[in-house]
Structure formats: C-alpha cells, structure tokens
Amino acid sequence: MELLNSCEVSRGSSNMKASTSNLSNGFLSLCSPATIGESSPKIVAGDDGYVFEDVPHFLDYIPKATVEVWFFSYTQISANSVLGTVFFTSHYKQIIDLGGYRGFYSRNTIPLTPKVVNNIHKRGGTIIGTSRGGHDTKKIVDCIQDRKINQVYIIGGDGTQKGAAVIFEEIRRRGLKVAVAGIPKTIDNDIPVIDKSFGFDSAVEEAQRAINAAHVEAESTENGIGLVKLMGRYSGFIAMYATLASRDVDCCLIPESPFYLEGKGGLFEYIEKRLKENGHMVIVIAEGAGQELLSGSLKTTDQRDASGNNLLQDVGIWISQKIKDHFSKQKKIGQQKTTINLKYIDPTYMIRAIPSNASDNVYCTLLAQSAVHGAMAGHTGFTVASVNGRHAYIPFHCITEKQNKVVITDRMWARLLSSTHQPSFLSPKILAKQQG
Amino acid sequence: MELLNSCEVSRGSSNMKASTSNLSNGFLSLCSPATIGESSPKIVAGDDGYVFEDVPHFLDYIPKATVEVWFFSYTQISANSVLGTVFFTSHYKQIIDLGGYRGFYSRNTIPLTPKVVNNIHKRGGTIIGTSRGGHDTKKIVDCIQDRKINQVYIIGGDGTQKGAAVIFEEIRRRGLKVAVAGIPKTIDNDIPVIDKSFGFDSAVEEAQRAINAAHVEAESTENGIGLVKLMGRYSGFIAMYATLASRDVDCCLIPESPFYLEGKGGLFEYIEKRLKENGHMVIVIAEGAGQELLSGSLKTTDQRDASGNNLLQDVGIWISQKIKDHFSKQKKIGQQKTTINLKYIDPTYMIRAIPSNASDNVYCTLLAQSAVHGAMAGHTGFTVASVNGRHAYIPFHCITEKQNKVVITDRMWARLLSSTHQPSFLSPKILAKQQG
Amino acid sequence: MELLNSCEVSRGSSNMKASTSNLSNGFLSLCSPATIGESSPKIVAGDDGYVFEDVPHFLDYIPKATVEVWFFSYTQISANSVLGTVFFTSHYKQIIDLGGYRGFYSRNTIPLTPKVVNNIHKRGGTIIGTSRGGHDTKKIVDCIQDRKINQVYIIGGDGTQKGAAVIFEEIRRRGLKVAVAGIPKTIDNDIPVIDKSFGFDSAVEEAQRAINAAHVEAESTENGIGLVKLMGRYSGFIAMYATLASRDVDCCLIPESPFYLEGKGGLFEYIEKRLKENGHMVIVIAEGAGQELLSGSLKTTDQRDASGNNLLQDVGIWISQKIKDHFSKQKKIGQQKTTINLKYIDPTYMIRAIPSNASDNVYCTLLAQSAVHGAMAGHTGFTVASVNGRHAYIPFHCITEKQNKVVITDRMWARLLSSTHQPSFLSPKILAKQQG
Amino acid sequence: MELLNSCEVSRGSSNMKASTSNLSNGFLSLCSPATIGESSPKIVAGDDGYVFEDVPHFLDYIPKATVEVWFFSYTQISANSVLGTVFFTSHYKQIIDLGGYRGFYSRNTIPLTPKVVNNIHKRGGTIIGTSRGGHDTKKIVDCIQDRKINQVYIIGGDGTQKGAAVIFEEIRRRGLKVAVAGIPKTIDNDIPVIDKSFGFDSAVEEAQRAINAAHVEAESTENGIGLVKLMGRYSGFIAMYATLASRDVDCCLIPESPFYLEGKGGLFEYIEKRLKENGHMVIVIAEGAGQELLSGSLKTTDQRDASGNNLLQDVGIWISQKIKDHFSKQKKIGQQKTTINLKYIDPTYMIRAIPSNASDNVYCTLLAQSAVHGAMAGHTGFTVASVNGRHAYIPFHCITEKQNKVVITDRMWARLLSSTHQPSFLSPKILAKQQG
C-alpha cells in the first residue's frame, strides 16, 4: 500500500523522499470513512495498521482497463507543454466549457492551442464563460461519452465540486474510462479539509487595498467610519484574513460570529467608544454576516418591494443605514450629538477581477500538475489540494459534505479579536444558546 | 486686448530665461476683465502695448508695506526645506486647519515639523481633516489677524477656491499684510481656465483600474454588463479620460451630454446591439449624468422616502435597475429574451484614497513652489496653475466665476465617441433644443 | 486657409466648434521656416498677416491626386474599429514591421485583425519587433511601392523620426500617393518642440518606484547611499521628473548639468555633508551624465580591456566605485572615517517593460487619432504631438533638427535644485566656460 | 504536560478547542533530541508515550521565578495595543536596536509609542537600523541586565537566529529572568524546519515582476534573452518559486543544482535550442548558483584586482558575459551566426524595499502574537514559526544547526523542471558524483 496518512507524513521527511520516484505516491488521502451516494468508500489498511479511505481508481470498476491506451489518447489531445498553462488559467483541459456545466452540451468546444492559452494567466477573470444554476448530469455524461473525452478537470468552488461528484458517480455507474479531477478554486475558501483554495490569497491581497482605502477615508474626516463589505456568504475567511493583514480594522463581522447592535456589548456601543477614543474607525463586514438581524429588520419594516428588498438584503447597505439611523436618533433624544461620516465601500467586483498573485500562481501550478499526474495514473473522483502543507488527493465526497467555516473558538479568531479589540458580542443569552 | 496670447508666450524662451532671476515675473496672468466683489481688477499695460489683468499685490492697498519684514517672519515659521513637502501633501502651511475652513477658529493648530510631514506624501488622503459646509469669513480673518499669520495657502477644489476668494476680499478690506494663495486640488478637474487640477491624473489612473475590473467581470459571463460609476457631479472629465485611457468602454455617459433610454438611438437599443455583436459590454457613468431622467423617474414613481431617495439618487443604482427592468420586461412582452448579467462597480472611495501618482507629484511640487514664490514676492489673491503648459498666477475671481465642463462639440468628446462607437444621443428634439 | 496658428487657437473655443466638421483644421503647425533636405518648406500666410510653415499635402506634389480613391483603399485594409487600438499599442498599421525599419524588406507582414490587437495595449513592450541600426531607404520605399501601401505610420523616438523623414523625402521624390505620419514614442522625451513624447509619463512613474526602493535601502543602514541610474543618454528628463515626483532625492545628476567630484562645491563634499546631516542619502544619475569625467577617468587608468570598458562605461557602476574609493581613501589619509553603505539600482529594463499608465494611454489615443485623421485628409510628412497643450501636426524636419534637452537655466531645473538642495556644481571655471 | 506534539494536533480539532483558554498550549514543539552548546535539550515524555524536546522555561533554571512580577513589568513598558503593531513591523519591542546586535550597547534606545509605530507597517524596509558582522555577546547581555530588560525579541534570518541562540545561552548561564524569542524574517527562506520565513512571499511577488519585465524585453527583440538575478546565496527558493509563479521562465539556475555551460546537455546548447524554437528566452539565476564555475573562471583569467573581482563575483554579470562570449565566438569559428540581445536585470534592492504583502502581513501578525504569548507564559530560547501548517515554538538550536535548501530530488524541483523544460544538467560525471 502506497498512500501515507497524515500521521505518518508528519513523522518525518525521510518517507517523503523515498517516494519521489513515483509522483503519485506521496499524495495524501485524508478522509473519514463514510458512505456516499451510489459508491461505497474505498477503505484500505495501511502498512502500520492504519485504516484509511483511498481515492477511486479505474481498476476498481473496470477490471481490464488498459491504462496504456489511455495515456496515448491523452498525448494526442494536448501537447505536454500546454498542459500546465491550461490549468494555471483555470480551464477545462480537453473540453472548454463556455457556460459552466451547461456548456458541456449547449455549446461548441474551443480547441486549446498554445496561442490561445499563452499569457492568459496574466489576466484576471476567465476566458471560459461561467454559469450558475442547475445542470443535467445525464446530458453532460452523454456528451463526454459521445466525444470520447477521457479526462475531465473541473475547476471551481463548493458548488462546482458537488457537481463534479455527481458527474463522477454517473461516469462510474456507466463504467466509463474517464478520469474526473477537481481543482478547488474559490476566493471564499469555504472548501473543508484543505489548507486553502486557489484564489483566496489574491482576494485577501486586494481586500486589504479596499480596507486601506476605507482607512484613508475614515481618517480624513471627524468621526469618519469606513465600512467595507467583503465576500463570504457563509464563511468569513476573506474578512478575517484581510483584517489580520491590514491592522487598520477596528471591527470585523462574519457569519460565524453572531452580533447585536443595541445595548451593552453591542456594536453601537463599541462604535461610540472607538470614535471617542480614536476619532475614526474601520469596520469590515462579510456579506453573510448578521443575516438573522437583517431578516428580522426586514420583517418589522415590512418592506416587501422587490427592488427595495434587493437593496436591503445587501448587508453593507443595511448596516450603513442602521449606523446612520442610530447616530441621528441619538441627537433627537437629547444625548450629546456625534455627527458621523460613514463611507461604504463594496470592492466585490474589483476583488474578483484581479489577476492571481505570485503565491496563488505557484499553488495553481502545483494543483494543476497534481491533477494531471493523478488522472494520468488512473485515479479519478478526486480533488487535489494542499492539506497540512502537503499535496493530497481527496475523494470528492470528503470535501462536499460540509462547508469550511471560521471556528470562532479557535486561535485564529482569538487573534483577530486581540488585534481589533472588538467585543466578542457574546451576550449571556447568546453564550447560553451557543453552548446549549 | 488684455490677455497675453499664447503666441507671445510661445515667441521665445529667451524672454522666459531673462526672468528667471525674478521668479514671479514669468508667470502668466490670464483673465478676462470683470468686476469682482469689493475690489476692481488690476489692469496693467504690458511692455509691448498689451493690456492685461495682473494679480493683486500688497503694495496695491498697503503703500508702505515692508516686504523685508514679511520675508523675515516667513523664515521664522517654517524651515525652507519643509516648505515644499508641506505643500506636496496638500496642507496649509503656517496653520494647519483640522476641519476645513471651520478649523481656523474651532481648533488648535498643529505646528508642522519635518518629522510630521516626512513621508506623508506617500499616503493617500490627508492628515489634515476636511469639512464641508459653510464657514464664517469674519471669524477666520479674525483668527488670521490674532495669530499674526501672514501667509495662507488654501488647497482644494471649486468650493474651496470660492472660499479663498471671500477670505482674500475680507483681508484686503481690512488692509492686512496677509498673502492668500490657492492651490487647485480636485479630482473632478472642474476648475476653469487651468490645464488640470492636482489629483485628476491619479484619479483617472485608478478609475481605469475599476473599468478594467468591470471589463473582466463582463467578459466572464454571457451578456455580461459591467457598469462603473465615476465621480463628477457637474463635469464628466474623469469618466471621459478614464474611458479614453481604458479602451474597454462601450458607452460613457456624462452630465454634459444628455441621453435617453428608450427608442431609436437610445441607450437600451445600443446595449442590445453591443451585446448581440460582442457578447458583453462596459458602461461608464459619471455621477451627475442623466439627472434630468433620474428626477423625472423619481417623480413618476413617487418615492419620497428619505433613505429610499438617497439610494435612488445614486445614478449608478438607478440606471442598473432601469437596464435590468428593460431586459426583464422584454421577456414579458414576447420578444426574444436576453438574460443580462449586470455588475455594478462604485469605486469612488477607492479612487479618493490612492496616493498621488508621479505626474501629479511633479505637478504638485511645481504648484507649491509657485505659490510660495508668489506669496513671498508679495502677490496675493491668486491661484497657481498650469495654463497652456505654462505656470500662471490667476486672480481668484477668474476661476470661481464658472465651472470647467466637457465641451461635447470639442475634439476630445468626438474622439471618445469614435473610440466607444456609442450613439451621440442627439435626437432631433435634443439637437433642436441644444441649438435653439 | 485651413490651418490655424497658435494665436488663433487660443483666441476662443468658438472657432474650434466651427471646425469640428473638418477634423484636420484645428491642428497647429508650429515651426520656424527653414529649408530641409530635398523639399522646401511650405510657407503660408495666415489670415491675420501671420506667416508660418504648413505640413506637406499630396496636392503639393501630385496635382491630380484623387483623395476619394485613397479613402477607399484605406477602408479596405483595416476596419475602422481596429484602427485606434492598433495605434494605441504602438504599431504600424497597414504593415507590421517585425524588425524596425529593416522589417519592411526582410520579413513577411502580419495582417492585423481585431483578435491580434485586442488587449495588447494592456501589456508592456511591443508585439512587433524592434531593431536598431541602419536601414536602406530605397528598399523600404520599393517595398511600400510594390505592396501598394498608401499609409505608413512610424512610431518611435528621435532616430525613428529621422528615418521617417528620409523615407518621406524618397516617397515625395518618387511622387507616390503615400502618407507618412510619425508618432513620437520615447521614454527619453528628447524630441524637441513637442510637450512630451508618449511613454515618458509611464517611465517617470516606474522610475519613482526605483527611487523609493533606493530610499528604503538607504534609510535602513547607517550612512546608506541609494544610487539609481535612470535612462537618458543625452537628456535628463526622466531623472529630473522622477526626482521632482519622488522628493526623496538629495542629488540629481544629468547630462545637461556638468558636475565635478573633488573639492569645494563638488559631489564628494556634498555627500559628506548630507550623510552628516541626515544619515543617508539618495542620488539619481542619468546614464549620460558626467561623460566628460568618465572618459577622463578611463584615460588615466588606461583600462582598454573590452569587457572592462563596457562595465566602466556604465556611469552608475563608475560613480559607485568613485564614491566608494573616496570614502575608503579618506580613512587612509587619517581623516575621520565614514563607512558608507552604497546600494546601486539600475531599473532600466524594469522601466522599459511596464505597460503605459492612464495618462499615456489617453495621450496615445489622441496621437493615434490625430495621425489617422491627418493621413486621411491627405497630409503627409508630419509628426503628431501636443504642443503647448494643443494637438499639432509638425513637419518632420522641425523635430529632427535638434534634440530636446533640459535647460538648466530654466525654472524647472531651478525647482529641482531648490527641492534637492544639491549644489549647482557651477564652479567659477565652469561658469566662465558656460557663459563664454 | 501541556505541549502537544504534531501527531496529536493532527488528530482532531476537538483537542484544539479545549486548549484555547490557555494560549500557549496548542503550540507545537518540533525537534529531534540533540545536545546543544551549554544547555542540554529538555526531553519530555508526552501523554501517549511520545518523547519529544520541549522549549526551555524560566522554571528550568530559576526555581522560584515569580512570573507575576514579570507580567507586571511587561504591561508597564508597552500598551497591549501597540504590541502587535510593533512586531508587525519587524522591530525589537522593549528596546529598539539601531544597528543590529551592536545597537544593544552602542546606541541609545528609542522608546516605542503608538505614534512611532502607527502606519510603519505600510512601508518597506525598516525604521530600525541593521548591521552586519560580529557582536559582543557579553556586552549585549550586560546591557540587557543593566537596563532590566525582561523580554528580547530578535527578528531576522539565519545569522540573526544564531546570534539569538548565543545570547540566550549567556542569559541562561547568568540565570537572568529574560525571555528570548526569535521571529524568522528572511526573504531567502533558508531557515530549516519551518514552513516559510516572514518576507519570503512578498519577495517572490516582486521577483515575479522582474521576471515579467525580462520577458517583455526578451520578446521585443530577435533572439532576446532576459536574464534575471535573484537573491539566494546558498539556497534557490526565491528563484524556484518566482519561476513557478511566473511561467515565463525557460531556465532557472540555483545553488543546489550544479550546471555546466559547454557541450551536450549544457546551458549554451539549451539556449541555442530555445532561441531557435521560440525566438527569445528568460533565464533566472540565483546569486549563489554556479559558484564552482565562477571561481574556476576567475582563476584562469587571473583577475585579482579588488574592484574587478567584485564585479566578476556577481554571477549575473559573469554569466551574461559568458553567454555573450559564446555567441560572438560562434561567429568566428564559422558556424551560423546567432546575434543575441541579452538584457540583464538585477532587481535585488527593489525586491528588498517593497512593503510586505497581505499573506506576509497575516503571517507576521501570527508570529508576533505567538512570540509574545510564549514569552509572557515564561518560555524562552525559542523561535516561533509555522510548521506543517501549525504554529510552533522551536528551540533555537533546531533551526540553527543547518540551512534550508532546495532538495533537487523532491517533487517541487521536478515540477519546476517540467514547467521550464530546462535540462537537468545531470551529466553522467555529475550524476556519479552526486550519488557517490
């Protein structure tokens, strides 16, 4: 048995060196044993008595698979030298999907040539189209079968990886000799198990720029508040890392850490305190933060208008209004007036559009090469990623069962709190609820 | 004929060289004769029979002014080496105003030292506060008089320069030996007569980044529309220059060029055409564009709610909604459906926060040195700027009488139209109105 | 009379409006009457008694030229929409020259398509090759004639424009209906008459980055000296503007301002003074500065070795060594020792490789459109540029007769001196020589 | 027993949660048992039978240490809020050393205040001076003792960490209650055991820019060669990662991988091949690469001159000359001539001067917080770092015993080779030597 488990890997680098002659060997397979959809996990006993789950291999369901043939067809389609570059730029290799999953059956393919892919890694965005929403698994696999495609690389986040898993199951069911490999690319970093997803580093870099702008704005006026909304509908990683990177942030609000506005220990009290101490402040809010408050707020004001709703559902606009209301209300009820000057920055699209930075470029190269090596060696149904600093092949279901979230009882969030000095927003009520 | 014409200026650099020993001599005074507030313009006959309007000088109203004394006090207050740097970073020199004009009387001053100003030119924003709204001229001049300030440098845009003019008039009325010099700093470039204001170049540079992001986003989806709102409440300079710089823009809407949405030659028709041709498009809109349409729209939908109003008055949000409505309405009335994918980018605060670029830095150095040299030579009541490529002293009233606007019958706008291929939006009705 | 002179243009925008229907009208023709090579200048009397030199027109030497035909052929070759983009990216339009002038006859052409030129303006460098050295005018014009090319756009600096002038003369001699238009692109800004050349602004921006790095390095060590060599073999514009933009520079050395090392008022004395005062310093040197000293130095040390020579001819390496020698020699003769820490930065290739900035992009758009409009209207033998803030057509010979140089008795250099506080290096001997 | 070993940590996050109330608990102590200088390693048996080496603690040599007192003195000296920022900007905390180690005894200290440290993390370089060369351990510890300093944070690379170890031993020998904590900051990434050092990511980012410039230059001319020298005297990490990030590099030469110039499989052959195939190429060379060749070359040409030596010892200049010589020699001996166009870029100082990027900023925050928490909890003699993705305290000797080097038989280098297609330079002779 060749795959090491995490425990073994961390024991020493000597084991790693021994396996470099066989490039597919050193990768980790990290996953708890669990049953998935139609196929059962591939449980294997390791050398030292360990039991772990391996990634699927053609030979699991096609006993007489001739891998040699497969290698041949591979080199027919794409020159080796293009391969890396293709992946670097977030593309499907053998078939370019021009509209997300639906592109498999609704569009013509664009043959990749060195000319097409040259230099595209220096641009942000993607030359292949993207689409959201459902897709027809049967049609996609029909298309794969008809075109005699034998490797499918699927690049994307949480939803895309789920789609990849479903396609892989259908391919396995039909007994096709098609390798399906996933490459985790999402600025949200919400894929579990893995160290980070491709794109996350670049997003944090640019998010930091937006925070810096907010800080400059806030500093320039009396009682200036710079408010930056960052991506993260279900997880606050970009917000948390950009806050730690920037050091200009006084408060970071994320979906995983509930907060409240009014009263002791609430956001308004903290804003008042910071403005008094420092004359200005910077707030970062992830798009999914405070959804409970926001939906409550919507109910009470009974704003059912379609476009109005849309605007209010933007948590950045919503909380901007709440803060403004609080400080103008303050005036009316006779308290000492604090005239605030709130500037709201939504850098979402500017972040999405930037080219990847050097660190992501290196990561992408490694991911792409891992994926190709894995697929060429006959593995399938896996996502490549770095896990505890080492590159791993991970069965799809391990990363699609749940989402990666900031653990607010972990050290990282504790460090953020000690860096921003913001309140924990853990009122006795909330604390009770959390622990209950 | 009063103004020096460009021909004379361009006649020879020999004249310019001759005057370098006297730094204030070579500057132009460009202004049409006009009476202003309390003082009358200073009409002077030049060497070659020209008659022009000069900038005021202490000796005009303080016959026995001892400029020597004044020089002395100047060097007391600020080391020469600091001076340039102070100006480079957009500051008042002898008095630092911590809240715009109101800072003169409501706050303590911060003495500038080399330590305070060192390196601040590398940051965006301002270490001095800014404030908007009215100020009390009498109180400000009282403060200047009480503190025995003898040079006031006022840095800002249109409104600030108007304030400077009023303060200068009050100083002149009281017969104080105080030089008032303006430095034109506004990213909007809406100060007339001068070539450009400090900050404009940097703003265009960053605006281009936002347009690039919009382009990347638009390209990445089917029927993608990237919509960028740029600054410019009354003038479209940033939008026009960023469009010319970017070359990715399909349509640029500015306050000076009215447009309409529906019907032949309208915006919707053009959007449909571009999406059909190209699959995506980028629209740039200045914040003051389409105000007529927008106020009309507000009336009909009768949305008088304060916060609602605020949101709708953002022309970017308004036009985003209008475009979305158009394409979803299209569906209902049975036309072929085009599902658009509109991304709205508002980079306002990110643009405002960037440090100035090299070109602006050079310009700022020159402006600051001109201002100091002018004030030291006894001139007052002037703004420094580049006019037709040469540095000039301009009496305040010349630049406060009107605002600089894009002339849409000029070559620059013609070039933009030929670069974007957008319609001129000059319907027969509008054309008649314009020419009538 | 079609061309306005500068005087007229500055009179009012009303004239400008009238002429927008005829795009070639508003351009300036600024040049002193002078005889050139084979053709004589085209002296024209203006409306108000002015006499000026006009740019050549086909009708000057082809009496029956049918401009209609020419327009037709123009639209055949290149879609209008591509045209601007082609120019924006510094290319020949109808023929792409893959090796500078020699490309005309030694290579195949690449037909430009929208696909080829799309997005290339976002990259630095050039997709067309460049070559230095001589070319065979006769062969080039033969090639133009054979291929029935009727518009030639030539993009480059001083030497390229001279080549364009020679080609134009040969075309005129043969009576060909071929428009030759020059676009001034050189980061050295050494083309006379015009306001600035395309590329200069971007170069200054990046040069400022290098100076900033030198400053950071110098600040980080005791007696740190950051030395930056910038481009400029015959003119010091990049060095001067980058110095004014950066404000971290203590000494800027350019070809136009001779300097000396030893003795009172010399460079070494100034370095010692600055290190004593400030603990570190930044020196900027243009590559052509101090050539007299350098060649003198080479003679005395008699280093005739080929590769050695090459190294020493780099003024940055040479002066680094001189400064190091001075401070180590100091030690030996018993003076108080100052151990310096010199870091030499040569950012030449990093500056050349950057994409153009927004300001240059706008300028390039305007230059390209001017050139095309001029050529389409039948003008030829001209370079387009901004002159005193207005776009002009300039006969080739006007810009090829001399090089643009920093005038060290002008205000700009005076400002630099007052910004850096460096000595003027005008020893009595040098002063006598300069004035003699 | 409080410290977890790596195996335990990777077992589950449930353990991690339990330990968050005690921040020092979760850190790893990763080190093989080994004897060091004067003190013996602290071998501890873990809960599950593991044996590992712990970091030293005051209580190991000061039985009655009153940690309470120590905490008190800590909070006296520095407000908690400053602490993070101080570290973020690479500073000694309680004492600022103005000249590296020698600053301890040769200079006055600068008290850190929020004002001093605010915003300095946004600048490159360091506000504290740096010095190279030896230091007097006894004097430094005398100074620490005299000033009653009780925490010393030492920030730097390989050499600095060695110095820290020596100082710690002297402190331990004297029985002082002074915590010594190291923070690994070096762009060279040459510290063993740890995942990466602070500064490495930022250096790779900027190195990639230089490579991009080289690529643009190379592409713009026929047979263009862009040659970039990057830092790395003993290890090629920056060169390797920048190459993987850039994808424009055709050959990457590092100290760990010997190469040869002439003959089959040599560099010249490869350059000829690439120029023929592609028309241009980019070479990256680490400053320590090819030292064997270079010293051989120096001997044969017998250039013993001091300054000459210095120039030739720059491997970038040396190899540039070698390549040029090869291609000009080629001509002479009658082969088909290839006129190359080599551009040499040395971005060393520009890389060193850049501010840290977001990823490094986050890392620095975590390192600084770990260091302070460790020192506050009474640990000493350790360096903080990330090890296999988790933050660890590492006894000094573990990271000072050897240097981190690229392992050319590892996967990372294999990936580089497959990305650049460069030869392995493993001639039979070398291979034999390597394996012998």
Side-chain angles (χ1 to χ4, degrees), chain A residues 215-363:
Chain A
H215 187 229
V216 167
E217 280 288 330
E219 265 190 328
S220 302
T221 50
E222 211 175 331
N223 291 316
I225 299 177
L227 179 75
V228 181
K229 186 185 72 174
L230 294 175
M231 284 84 85
R233 189 150 283 277
Y234 304 107
S235 68
F237 287 101
I238 293 180
M240 179 170 72
Y241 274 79
T243 294
L244 284 166
S246 143
R247 290 165 216 153
D248 287 331
V249 178
D250 299 286
C251 191
C252 173
L253 304 169
I254 61 171
E256 294 90 340
S257 174
F259 65 96
Y260 53 98
L261 303 175
E262 314 268 355
K264 200 170 159 49
L267 181 63
F268 294 154
E269 187 194 69
Y270 178 59
I271 294 175
E272 286 168 25
K273 180 170 154 282
R274 281 303 290 159
L275 291 181
K276 200 169 288 176
E277 285 168 3
N278 208 29
H280 66 269
M281 78 180 296
V282 174
I283 302 171
V284 165
I285 189 162
E287 64 179 318
Q291 290 298 319
E292 271 192 6
L293 294 174
L294 202 152
S295 55
S297 165
L298 284 178
K299 266 176 234 151
T300 53
T301 56
D302 195 28
Q303 293 188 296
R304 293 194 210 101
D305 174 59
S307 74
N309 251 6
N310 269 331
L311 293 173
L312 283 171
Q313 278 165 2
D314 180 324
V315 73
I317 292 176
W318 171 79
I319 205 161
S320 297
Q321 198 57 50
K322 281 287 176 188
I323 295 171
K324 284 177 192 165
D325 288 351
H326 172 76
F327 282 95
S328 68
K329 197 174 60 188
Q330 214 185 14
K331 188 175 54 181
K332 288 171 194 160
I333 60 173
Q335 287 175 290
Q336 195 192 2
K337 181 187 165 180
T338 308
T339 307
I340 61 159
N341 209 323
L342 189 146
K343 305 286 169 64
Y344 172 51
I345 301 187
D346 178 353
T348 303
Y349 297 123
M350 297 202 61
I351 290 173
R352 288 168 46 140
I354 50 156
S356 52
N357 68 4
S359 164
D360 263 335
N361 281 345
V362 173
Y363 191 35

Side-chain angles (χ1 to χ4, degrees), chain B residues 23-203:
Chain B
L23 274 162
S24 67
N25 274 2
F27 292 105
L28 297 179
S29 162
L30 280 178
C31 205
S32 56
T35 51
I36 50 164
E38 305 174 22
S39 62
S40 52
K42 184 179 170 182
I43 307 301
V44 178
D47 291 343
D48 303 318
Y50 289 103
V51 172
F52 63 95
E53 180 187 350
D54 200 358
V55 290
H57 193 281
F58 289 139
L59 297 178
D60 298 345
Y61 59 90
I62 312 177
K64 295 178 181 180
T66 52
V67 177
E68 293 83 356
V69 172
W70 179 80
F71 267 105
F72 181 73
S73 68
Y74 167 70
T75 48
Q76 267 185 326
I77 295 162
S78 155
N80 207 11
S81 66
V82 183
L83 198 73
T85 319
V86 174
F87 280 108
F88 305 155
T89 48
S90 305
H91 293 143
Y92 297 76
K93 191 184 66 61
Q94 299 183 12
I95 180 170
I96 289 203
D97 170 5
L98 276 170
Y101 279 122
R102 279 176 299 192
F104 269 105
Y105 45 90
S106 63
R107 291 239 188 182
N108 293 322
T109 57
I110 292 179
L112 291 182
T113 64
K115 233 174 186 167
V116 171
V117 294
N118 190 24
N119 278 317
I120 47 174
H121 65 281
K122 290 175 186 162
R123 301 170 50 201
T126 168
I127 66 161
I128 57 169
T130 59
S131 74
R132 295 199 166 267
H135 59 270
D136 183 330
T137 304
K138 196 187 153 299
K139 275 196 193 166
I140 290 173
V141 179
D142 285 353
C143 163
I144 290 169
Q145 200 164 4
D146 291 349
R147 295 177 184 231
K148 302 194 195 310
I149 291 165
N150 47 26
Q151 290 185 18
V152 177
Y153 298 94
I154 295 174
I155 298 138
D158 189 55
T160 310
Q161 301 295 330
K162 279 181 185 147
V166 174
I167 288 169
F168 162 64
E169 285 307 325
E170 176 64 17
I171 284 171
R172 161 139 69 174
R173 209 187 50 77
R174 297 193 193 180
L176 304 178
K177 249 187 311 183
V178 177
V180 181
I183 295 178
K185 178 189 75 67
T186 161
I187 55 176
D188 286 349
N189 202 33
D190 58 359
I191 298 178
V193 177
I194 70 178
D195 289 350
K196 64 171 184 178
S197 55
F198 170 60
F200 177 63
D201 240 44
S202 310

